[in-house]
Amino acid sequence: MTVMFIIGLGVLSLLVAFFFARQVGAISIAEGAANEHEADRLKEISTAISEGAMAFLGREYRILALFMAIFGVVIYFAVVDSGGATMFAFFAGAGISILSGYIGMRIATLGNVRTAAAARISLEKSFSIAFRSGAVMGFGLTGFAILGMILVYLGLEKMLPGLSKEALMEILSGFGLGGSSVALFGRVGGGIYTKAADVGADLVGKVEAGIPEDDPRNPAVIADNVGDNVGDIAGMGADLFGSVAESTCAALVIGAVAFEATTDETLKMNAMLFPILASAIGIVASLISLFFARPKTEDKVEGALKLTLIISTIIMGIALYPLTMMMVPADFSLTLGGTVYHNTGVFYSLAAGLISGMLIGLITEYYTSHRYKPVREVANASETGSATNIIYGLSLGYNSAVLPMVLIAVTVVIGISFAGMYGIAMAAIGMLGTIAVGLTIDAYGPVSDNAGGIAEMAEMGKDIRKRTDALDAAGNTTAAIGKGFAIGSAALTSLALTSAFLTRAHLDTINMMDPKVLAGILLGGALPFAFSAMTMRSVGQAAFDMIAEVRRQFREIPGLLEGKPGVRADYRKCVDISTAASLRQMIAPGLLVILTPLLVGFMFGVHTLAGVLIGALVVGVMLAISMANSGGAWDNAKKYIETGQLGGKGSDTHKAAVVGDTVGDPFKDTSGPALNILIKLMAIISLVFVPFFVKYGGMLLNK
Amino acid sequence: MTVMFIIGLGVLSLLVAFFFARQVGAISIAEGAANEHEADRLKEISTAISEGAMAFLGREYRILALFMAIFGVVIYFAVVDSGGATMFAFFAGAGISILSGYIGMRIATLGNVRTAAAARISLEKSFSIAFRSGAVMGFGLTGFAILGMILVYLGLEKMLPGLSKEALMEILSGFGLGGSSVALFGRVGGGIYTKAADVGADLVGKVEAGIPEDDPRNPAVIADNVGDNVGDIAGMGADLFGSVAESTCAALVIGAVAFEATTDETLKMNAMLFPILASAIGIVASLISLFFARPKTEDKVEGALKLTLIISTIIMGIALYPLTMMMVPADFSLTLGGTVYHNTGVFYSLAAGLISGMLIGLITEYYTSHRYKPVREVANASETGSATNIIYGLSLGYNSAVLPMVLIAVTVVIGISFAGMYGIAMAAIGMLGTIAVGLTIDAYGPVSDNAGGIAEMAEMGKDIRKRTDALDAAGNTTAAIGKGFAIGSAALTSLALTSAFLTRAHLDTINMMDPKVLAGILLGGALPFAFSAMTMRSVGQAAFDMIAEVRRQFREIPGLLEGKPGVRADYRKCVDISTAASLRQMIAPGLLVILTPLLVGFMFGVHTLAGVLIGALVVGVMLAISMANSGGAWDNAKKYIETGQLGGKGSDTHKAAVVGDTVGDPFKDTSGPALNILIKLMAIISLVFVPFFVKYGGMLLNK
């Protein structure tokens, strides 16, 4: 029954996605275009972006396939109990993540040009296309995630009936690892791509050549628009899919221990399935909230998007209480004869995650929207030059990370106090409960951002651009909310995985003052800084390649810079450069993330590894939130000045604000979000290989 | 015997300081001045700086006195076993720190003008004055610290012969707390002062009015020079005095437990005194190394300064081995029937601290000197504008923190593995072993920096300025080394204090996955970000006050900006503004540091507090090192360009580099170093009040 219910909800989610995709696809570009010439131009630009995006995905997936094959072999041999099945689950997790990313990219590149074209008809029409494109991603990914998890779980039960608890845990974590490995490529590779193109396009185009943003003369302009899809659609999707898969795995792994003693077999089965069911219920809550996204005027867009998030949170909270009471045993314990927890405690954990997720979103909005004081202070500080703009922006970022961290800490305390380590996993699932709508408003952002770019490139005129700008501005804020959300859930997911790791290592005490552990905490704390330094430099290096190419084209293609009719930049070359550079530049940070837990676990053992995970988590979360919010604030401080405040566009104050915006690009779209992957991927690798570490690990220390 | 030896070394240190002070004071300014007019002008400027510095100290000490009185009362009542004596020790620690700061400031303001004047005679003469001024600070402070600690220890033994071990621990920690409280004012208040003046002077003077740095027309120029003394002399001195006092206290507190079982009374006494003796031996090592500081040409200055550090480290390492074997019992244990440690282990700990201190210094030099690749990359990145300059500088800072953290982790592992928690304290003492010479080359920096400023203001000519610039450039690098050193030792000191805190709380296991502890780690991790946001904003706010005043003077004093002869800016007003603003702006960050451990300990108990200390440490160290090194690198990237590279002074590349330099100012001189105080002060407050927390703490959680 429960299984059928979950499958039903998963299928519903896919149907919603399919329905919206059909709707978006059915809209004709020609309907919105002013004339046939414009329609052709729109199609041409859209094809270039779409081809660029698919070219990137193609190259990325080829490298990814190689990586998966190698890692698959490692898993096959190093995973102690059931290497083969774990490898299969690993491929399944990766496959679903890839599929979701691919679908998201396709619909985003269908939706962006249609959003631009519809902007000529009405704001409502334009908004609804961008929003529905986002919903395809949100509901499609959630549906695939739910179905994937339940099918892997069922497949295991049917095909391997005598499966040991150990093996089950391993195989489930393999699924999460697959999802997270794709996220590494999406977030790090995609993050480098998007900002290399953006920074390269801006520095040569806006600063050197003095042409506006998204100007069709700029050879990097298509690459820049491709980047939005690569980073913000595929990357964000893979990241959040990873979080859902991993937090569910963590819950299943800990649940396998927690409900071992439950004698009622139906109840036991329900309890095991509960983490998946809780995510599935979010689909219904998200679906209902969609009906509230109907902004009538331009200034209502941001509010409408925020409203969907709040409504889905409330519905979800109400629905979870009876479900939890029904599905989870009244009493359970995580260790033999240990503390007894209750199903009410599981509900408190879920609710804590759900509510703090929403609050983190709202706090993020406060710090990154120019309707509030913090961003305006950054804008004001630009009046004394770019140095004060940078100082205020950095300090805003530092500040903005404090309250979210407090919320995470409170959530963790509630989770552990009321439901032990199981509570942390349930808090993560709670926070990710509204992911279908969260991802919808998140993916809405790059679609409308792209629409603005396309309108500019197709020279659709100022009025149209103003309309798409209004959609884009709201998208900027919701993107920031989405990032806060992604980091918060990554933190809880990572803690849940660490808990699952400790459960599997049969450790319930990790003494912080044990030198092995303390050294781990200190080393772990150094990792986010090492990783961020790498990703920031990667953006810099890739951007230099792009700058050189743009300069070359301006120099060598006659008439390009002057805008001679018929002269086109070689967009494809820039797309190629971004693709090649980003995939090359992600190798070093990628290896750091993957090798650190393997080497630490193998050389120093599980105690040190536990320390590394916690150290990396604390530092990583603070750094990630502060980077994302500094970047968002700089971006919106610039946008605030562009609304005509403090001298407006072109003033010295504006120039100072542009510096902050450029620094913020790799902060908010590369290094910050990539830290999510650092903390989650290290934790899931530790979880998958823990029996290996317990058996062979710690060779450099006395165990 | 041992006592007499320690006192003898302390007195020797003071004699060295006194001797150098006499030498510096005896030099006549007129001798170096070109004519009587120049001599008068030099004296006038020097008097203004000296008066400004003393005015700041006067106001700071008045507020400090009030603070000490209130905190003294809190200690009197809240310290469980011996409030009165602890309060007395608290005042003694503070008094010595204040005295050292005062002497350092006096000699620095004597030395700076004489260094400038002597630059007309020869480089060697000029260098030796700046270096000896630094040595007065280095040896004076070390002597006072050693004498203070031994006298407090003896006084306790004589006056309170029946003193319980508990009370002894408390009183000793009170001494450390006193030192650290002064450091809070010196580092945070002083740090805000120095950068408010610097940023204010630069933004209006260099950027708006287009006049050179240190130009006498700039009303903030005296305040800027005062700031160097306030922040880099008094602040740095108080910080390092705090580290010495605190790490010694931690060693004494843990030693009181470690050597309890030793039956040979002389050996027991020696072992207790060993931490103080180890510091005292450093005086001899430092003294010998001074003879190697004899640079003949301008490009040898940096090498000569570095050589003193390396030589003193080697001598110290050799001397410590026989001493440790002689003074520390062959076997000891930190808990009844626990692991047995040996005196060789104590030596390993000391050596690990000593060596890693030197290595951290050299790594810092690599990342901040423009003779190496990292800074040159930042300079190259300035060619594409200030945004890339900022991105590369930040990424350099992140990267530069990784290896020092690894060294700290290795040191901690060696310390704990070979000598338990006592080993951490000894590692801290080892790292601070060469503090006399470390502080000498550190204080040398601001003296020669000031000398350059004075030469400019007195219009002594380009040749003289070139000579002082060479001295100053070397000082910049040694200042960065000193900062690395200060942070590294602060980390070890804080860990040592945390160990002592746990020892006093009778906890030897702190379970990281206990929700109370985990929440503490997460909250602790948020503190350095909150604190840095506050201090950076404080600099911004104070700088705005300064900017307004400088603009007013340029506007209202006729002929000032044009440089009309006889027209002088109102320097005193700017000094007043910096003083008032910095003391006002330090209240909020100061309260955060002091109240956090008190509230956490009282409300959540010692487990959470232990988590907070470790979380704050990990994040704080990474942030502090990265901020200090980003700042140092930006500064030197600008200086590198000013040597004529990449277009030289006045080019667009140079302008881009100036932005980084300005952002780096609060990074390297305010927020970064202030984090040392955050992590140390929270730990010592926890240590002092631990019996109170054990008795009454944790009211909000089930204990």
Side-chain angles (χ1 to χ4, degrees):
Chain A
M1 230 294 279
T2 312
V3 170
M4 293 319 293
F5 188 59
I6 293 173
I7 293 179
L9 288 176
V11 171
L12 170 69
S13 196
L14 290 185
L15 285 176
V16 171
F18 183 72
F19 173 74
F20 282 142
R22 281 285 297 268
Q23 274 198 331
V24 171
I27 291 161
S28 138
I29 296 173
E31 195 190 327
N35 51 45
E36 207 170 308
H37 170 72
E38 189 173 284
D40 287 346
R41 182 83 184 106
L42 284 172
K43 277 179 202 157
E44 185 192 344
I45 295 166
S46 148
T47 310
I49 296 178
S50 169
E51 280 177 7
M54 290 306 148
F56 172 79
L57 276 195
R59 291 241 317 244
E60 185 186 67
Y61 288 167
R62 242 174 294 154
I63 296 177
L64 186 58
L66 180 70
F67 167 82
M68 299 294 295
I70 296 172
F71 211 17
V73 173
V74 174
I75 291 171
Y76 185 83
F77 286 106
V79 166
V80 180
D81 287 297
S82 53
T86 306
M87 188 182 72
F88 176 76
F90 171 69
F91 290 144
I96 293 177
S97 181
I98 289 172
L99 186 65
S100 308
Y102 179 80
I103 292 173
M105 292 277 271
R106 278 233 82 101
I107 185 72
T109 51
L110 272 178
N112 54 12
V113 62
R114 286 167 175 77
T115 303
R120 204 183 280 291
I121 302 169
S122 75
L123 175 83
E124 282 167 85
K125 178 120 190 163
S126 185
F127 169 82
S128 93
I129 296 173
F131 188 71
R132 281 169 195 189
S133 305
V136 174
M137 180 75 182
F139 285 83
L141 184 138
T142 312
F144 280 126
I146 304 274
L147 289 175
M149 288 185 297
I150 191 84
L151 292 178
V152 166
Y153 187 80
L154 290 178
L156 292 175
E157 292 242 308
K158 296 282 175 216
M159 287 187 296
L160 308 161
L163 202 65
S164 74
K165 207 181 63 194
E166 280 295 311
L168 178 73
M169 288 184 185
E170 256 168 30
I171 298 168
L172 286 170
S173 358
F175 184 78
L177 178 58
S180 227
S181 301
V182 177
L184 172 70
F185 280 76
R187 268 296 197 208
V188 182
I192 296 170
Y193 184 108
T194 177
K195 289 305 122 173
D198 193 359
V199 173
D202 281 2
L203 283 179
V204 187
K206 278 201 283 192
V207 182
E208 282 183 22
I211 57 178
E213 200 164 336
D214 294 323
D215 190 288
R217 285 171 288 172
N218 193 329
V221 73
I222 294 287
D224 186 8
N225 279 283
V226 169
D228 291 341
N229 293 300
V230 164
D232 294 347
I233 301 275
M236 173 69 106
D239 184 358
L240 284 177
F241 172 77
S243 283
V244 172
E246 286 163 335
S247 57
T248 310
C249 286
L252 292 171
V253 168
I254 305 172
V257 177
F259 307 116
E260 210 175 0
T262 306
T263 45
D264 179 340
E265 281 302 317
T266 317
L267 186 59
K268 191 173 179 171
M269 168 88 175
N270 281 344
M272 276 306 290
L273 289 174
F274 180 65
I276 307 181
L277 178 68
S279 299
I281 286 299
I283 293 170
V284 183
S286 298
L287 194 53
I288 297 173
S289 75
L290 292 193
F291 295 99
F292 294 87
R294 300 185 177 282
K296 294 277 173 254
T297 55
E298 288 166 10
D299 57 329
K300 296 258 166 67
V301 176
E302 193 179 318
L305 293 171
K306 226 166 62 182
L307 190 63
T308 59
L309 199 65
I310 295 170
I311 285 175
S312 60
T313 302
I314 294 170
I315 298 173
M316 179 88 182
I318 295 169
L320 278 176
Y321 182 74
L323 268 178
T324 315
M325 301 313 284
M326 222 161 62
M327 307 267 302
V328 180
D331 305 310
F332 63 94
S333 177
L334 297 177
T335 47
L336 219 63
T339 320
V340 173
Y341 301 107
H342 309 289
N343 48 9
T344 45
V346 173
F347 173 71
Y348 296 149
S349 311
L350 280 164
L354 188 62
I355 293 167
S356 66
M358 192 186 69
L359 291 179
I360 289 174
L362 296 180
I363 291 167
T364 309
E365 192 212 354
Y366 173 72
Y367 280 105
T368 56
S369 162
H370 63 60
R371 291 190 294 122
Y372 305 102
K373 205 178 137 209
V375 171
R376 298 212 172 169
E377 278 181 354
V378 174
N380 291 336
S382 315
E383 290 196 288
T384 38
S386 43
T388 35
N389 166 275
I390 299 286
I391 291 176
Y392 269 74
L394 286 172
S395 134
L396 174 146
Y398 294 156
N399 223 358
S400 72
V402 175
L403 272 184
M405 190 60 148
V406 172
L407 284 170
I408 293 170
V410 170
T411 307
V412 167
V413 170
I414 292 176
I416 307 190
S417 305
F418 288 106
M421 289 189 183
Y422 193 59
I424 300 184
M426 293 318 286
I429 288 176
M431 191 177 277
L432 290 161
T434 53
I435 185 183
V437 71
L439 206 50
T440 300
I441 62 173
D442 216 43
Y444 157 89
V447 172
S448 47
D449 188 354
N450 257 240
I454 293 171
E456 181 84 30
M457 281 185 274
E459 289 149 4
M460 288 178 77
K462 284 223 163 130
D463 287 355
I464 307 300
R465 177 73 208 223
K466 200 172 150 247
R467 205 166 258 173
T468 58
D469 270 356
L471 295 178
D472 181 21
N476 252 325
T477 304
T478 57
I481 294 180
K483 268 164 207 150
F485 201 71
I487 297 166
S489 63
L492 288 179
T493 302
S494 170
L495 273 175
L497 292 169
T498 306
S499 307
F501 159 76
L502 294 174
T503 305
R504 286 201 69 194
H506 305 293
L507 291 171
D508 44 13
T509 299
I510 294 286
N511 180 14
M512 202 169 73
M513 295 313 284
D514 176 343
K516 293 198 291 289
V517 178
L518 187 54
I521 297 178
L522 296 174
L523 291 177
L527 287 173
F529 276 72
F531 187 72
S532 297
M534 282 180 177
T535 49
M536 282 177 72
R537 284 179 59 90
S538 293
V539 171
Q541 297 297 335
F544 280 141
D545 292 357
M546 182 63 88
I547 288 170
E549 172 61 20
V550 175
R551 282 188 186 148
R552 187 195 65 79
Q553 292 199 20
F554 278 151
R555 204 171 50 233
E556 296 180 6
I557 302 178
L560 175 62
L561 194 52
E562 297 77 27
K564 221 165 151 186
V567 175
R568 283 262 176 271
D570 185 356
Y571 302 126
R572 185 182 289 270
K573 183 85 201 188
C574 287
V575 170
D576 281 352
I577 284 175
S578 241
T579 305
S582 62
L583 292 173
R584 193 174 59 239
Q585 294 291 342
M586 71 160 286
I587 296 173
L591 286 178
L592 178 76
V593 178
I594 292 166
L595 293 182
T596 301
L598 293 177
L599 290 178
V600 169
F602 186 60
M603 295 198 303
F604 305 107
V606 288
H607 283 86
T608 306
L609 186 50
V612 166
L613 295 179
I614 295 294
L617 175 85
V618 177
V619 177
V621 171
M622 292 306 295
L623 202 56
I625 300 180
S626 68
M627 283 180 149
N629 291 349
S630 285
W634 276 317
D635 192 348
N636 279 334
K638 187 198 70 173
K639 287 217 162 66
Y640 176 67
I641 294 170
E642 285 173 358
T643 65
Q645 302 289 333
L646 304 168
K649 217 166 172 165
S651 64
D652 279 348
T653 307
H654 183 251
K655 279 192 196 113
V658 167
V659 172
D661 183 37
T662 312
V663 173
D665 272 338
F667 256 52
K668 75 181 196 310
D669 292 319
T670 312
S671 302
L675 286 168
N676 300 353
I677 310 300
L678 174 80
I679 60 177
K680 284 188 300 180
L681 193 52
M682 290 210 310
I684 187 112
I685 291 177
S686 307
L687 175 60
V688 169
F689 293 98
V690 63
F692 183 77
F693 298 147
V694 169
K695 241 186 189 157
Y696 306 106
M699 50 177 274
L700 280 192
L701 291 173
N702 311 338
K703 267 200 273 191
Chain B
M1 230 292 282
T2 312
V3 170
M4 291 320 292
F5 188 58
I6 294 173
I7 292 179
L9 288 175
V11 171
L12 170 70
S13 197
L14 289 185
L15 285 176
V16 171
F18 183 72
F19 173 74
F20 282 141
R22 279 286 296 268
Q23 274 197 332
V24 172
I27 291 160
S28 136
I29 297 174
E31 195 191 328
N35 50 46
E36 207 169 310
H37 171 72
E38 189 174 284
D40 286 346
R41 182 84 183 107
L42 284 172
K43 277 179 202 156
E44 185 192 343
I45 295 165
S46 147
T47 310
I49 296 178
S50 168
E51 279 177 8
M54 290 307 149
F56 172 78
L57 277 195
R59 291 236 322 239
E60 185 186 68
Y61 289 166
R62 241 175 296 155
I63 297 177
L64 187 58
L66 180 69
F67 168 81
M68 299 294 295
I70 296 171
F71 211 17
V73 172
V74 173
I75 291 172
Y76 186 83
F77 287 106
V79 166
V80 180
D81 288 297
S82 53
T86 306
M87 188 182 73
F88 176 77
F90 172 69
F91 290 144
I96 292 177
S97 182
I98 289 172
L99 186 65
S100 307
Y102 179 79
I103 292 173
M105 293 276 272
R106 277 234 84 99
I107 186 73
T109 50
L110 270 179
N112 55 12
V113 61
R114 286 166 175 78
T115 303
R120 202 184 282 289
I121 302 170
S122 76
L123 175 84
E124 282 166 85
K125 177 117 194 169
S126 185
F127 170 82
S128 93
I129 295 173
F131 188 72
R132 282 170 195 188
S133 305
V136 174
M137 180 73 180
F139 285 82
L141 184 137
T142 313
F144 279 126
I146 303 271
L147 288 176
M149 290 185 296
I150 192 85
L151 292 179
V152 166
Y153 187 80
L154 290 179
L156 292 176
E157 292 243 308
K158 298 282 173 213
M159 286 186 298
L160 308 161
L163 204 62
S164 75
K165 208 180 64 194
E166 281 295 312
L168 178 72
M169 288 183 184
E170 258 169 28
I171 297 168
L172 286 170
S173 356
F175 184 78
L177 178 58
S180 229
S181 301
V182 176
L184 172 71
F185 280 77
R187 268 294 197 207
V188 181
I192 296 169
Y193 184 108
T194 176
K195 289 305 122 172
D198 193 0
V199 172
D202 281 3
L203 282 179
V204 186
K206 279 201 283 191
V207 182
E208 282 183 22
I211 56 178
E213 201 165 335
D214 294 323
D215 191 288
R217 284 172 288 172
N218 193 329
V221 73
I222 294 287
D224 185 8
N225 279 283
V226 169
D228 291 341
N229 293 300
V230 164
D232 294 347
I233 301 274
M236 174 67 107
D239 184 359
L240 284 177
F241 172 77
S243 283
V244 172
E246 285 163 336
S247 58
T248 310
C249 286
L252 292 171
V253 167
I254 305 172
V257 177
F259 308 116
E260 208 176 358
T262 307
T263 43
D264 179 339
E265 280 303 317
T266 316
L267 187 57
K268 191 173 180 173
M269 169 86 176
N270 280 344
M272 278 303 293
L273 288 174
F274 180 64
I276 307 180
L277 178 68
S279 299
I281 285 300
I283 292 170
V284 182
S286 298
L287 193 55
I288 297 172
S289 75
L290 291 193
F291 293 99
F292 294 86
R294 300 184 178 283
K296 294 277 174 257
T297 55
E298 287 166 11
D299 57 330
K300 296 259 166 64
V301 176
E302 193 179 318
L305 292 172
K306 224 165 64 181
L307 190 64
T308 58
L309 199 64
I310 295 171
I311 286 176
S312 60
T313 302
I314 295 171
I315 297 173
M316 179 87 182
I318 296 170
L320 278 176
Y321 183 72
L323 268 178
T324 314
M325 301 313 283
M326 223 160 63
M327 307 266 302
V328 180
D331 306 311
F332 63 95
S333 178
L334 297 178
T335 47
L336 219 62
T339 320
V340 173
Y341 300 107
H342 309 289
N343 47 10
T344 44
V346 172
F347 173 71
Y348 296 148
S349 310
L350 280 164
L354 188 62
I355 293 168
S356 66
M358 191 185 71
L359 290 178
I360 289 174
L362 297 179
I363 292 167
T364 309
E365 192 211 355
Y366 173 72
Y367 279 105
T368 55
S369 162
H370 63 61
R371 289 190 295 122
Y372 304 102
K373 204 178 138 210
V375 171
R376 299 210 172 170
E377 277 181 355
V378 174
N380 290 336
S382 314
E383 290 196 288
T384 39
S386 43
T388 35
N389 166 274
I390 298 287
I391 291 176
Y392 270 75
L394 286 172
S395 137
L396 175 146
Y398 294 157
N399 223 357
S400 71
V402 175
L403 273 184
M405 191 60 147
V406 172
L407 284 171
I408 292 171
V410 170
T411 306
V412 167
V413 170
I414 292 176
I416 306 190
S417 305
F418 288 107
M421 289 187 182
Y422 193 59
I424 300 185
M426 293 319 284
I429 288 176
M431 192 178 274
L432 290 161
T434 52
I435 188 186
V437 70
L439 207 50
T440 298
I441 64 174
D442 217 43
Y444 157 89
V447 171
S448 47
D449 188 353
N450 256 240
I454 292 172
E456 182 83 30
M457 281 186 272
E459 289 149 3
M460 289 178 77
K462 283 221 163 131
D463 287 356
I464 306 301
R465 177 73 207 222
K466 202 173 150 247
R467 204 165 258 172
T468 57
D469 269 357
L471 295 178
D472 181 21
N476 252 325
T477 305
T478 56
I481 294 179
K483 267 165 207 151
F485 200 74
I487 297 166
S489 62
L492 289 179
T493 302
S494 168
L495 274 174
L497 291 170
T498 306
S499 307
F501 159 74
L502 294 173
T503 305
R504 286 202 69 194
H506 304 293
L507 291 170
D508 45 14
T509 299
I510 295 285
N511 180 14
M512 200 169 72
M513 295 312 284
D514 176 343
K516 293 197 292 287
V517 179
L518 187 53
I521 297 178
L522 296 174
L523 291 177
L527 287 174
F529 276 72
F531 186 71
S532 297
M534 282 180 177
T535 49
M536 282 177 72
R537 284 179 57 91
S538 294
V539 171
Q541 297 298 335
F544 280 141
D545 292 356
M546 182 63 89
I547 288 169
E549 172 61 20
V550 174
R551 283 189 186 146
R552 187 195 65 79
Q553 292 200 19
F554 278 150
R555 205 174 49 235
E556 295 181 6
I557 302 179
L560 174 62
L561 194 53
E562 298 76 25
K564 219 166 152 186
V567 175
R568 283 262 176 270
D570 185 355
Y571 302 125
R572 183 182 290 268
K573 182 87 198 183
C574 287
V575 170
D576 280 351
I577 283 176
S578 240
T579 304
S582 63
L583 292 173
R584 192 173 61 239
Q585 294 290 342
M586 71 160 287
I587 295 173
L591 286 178
L592 178 76
V593 179
I594 292 166
L595 293 183
T596 301
L598 293 177
L599 290 178
V600 169
F602 186 61
M603 296 198 303
F604 305 108
V606 288
H607 283 87
T608 307
L609 186 51
V612 166
L613 295 179
I614 294 294
L617 175 83
V618 177
V619 177
V621 170
M622 292 306 294
L623 202 57
I625 299 180
S626 68
M627 283 180 149
N629 291 351
S630 284
W634 276 318
D635 191 348
N636 278 334
K638 187 198 70 174
K639 286 218 162 66
Y640 176 68
I641 295 170
E642 284 172 359
T643 65
Q645 302 289 333
L646 304 167
K649 215 164 175 167
S651 64
D652 279 349
T653 308
H654 182 250
K655 280 194 195 109
V658 168
V659 172
D661 183 37
T662 311
V663 173
D665 273 338
F667 257 51
K668 73 181 199 310
D669 292 320
T670 311
S671 300
L675 285 167
N676 300 354
I677 309 300
L678 174 80
I679 60 178
K680 285 189 298 181
L681 192 52
M682 290 209 310
I684 188 113
I685 290 177
S686 306
L687 175 60
V688 169
F689 292 98
V690 63
F692 183 77
F693 298 147
V694 170
K695 243 185 190 158
Y696 306 106
M699 49 176 276
L700 280 192
L701 293 172
N702 312 337
K703 266 200 276 192

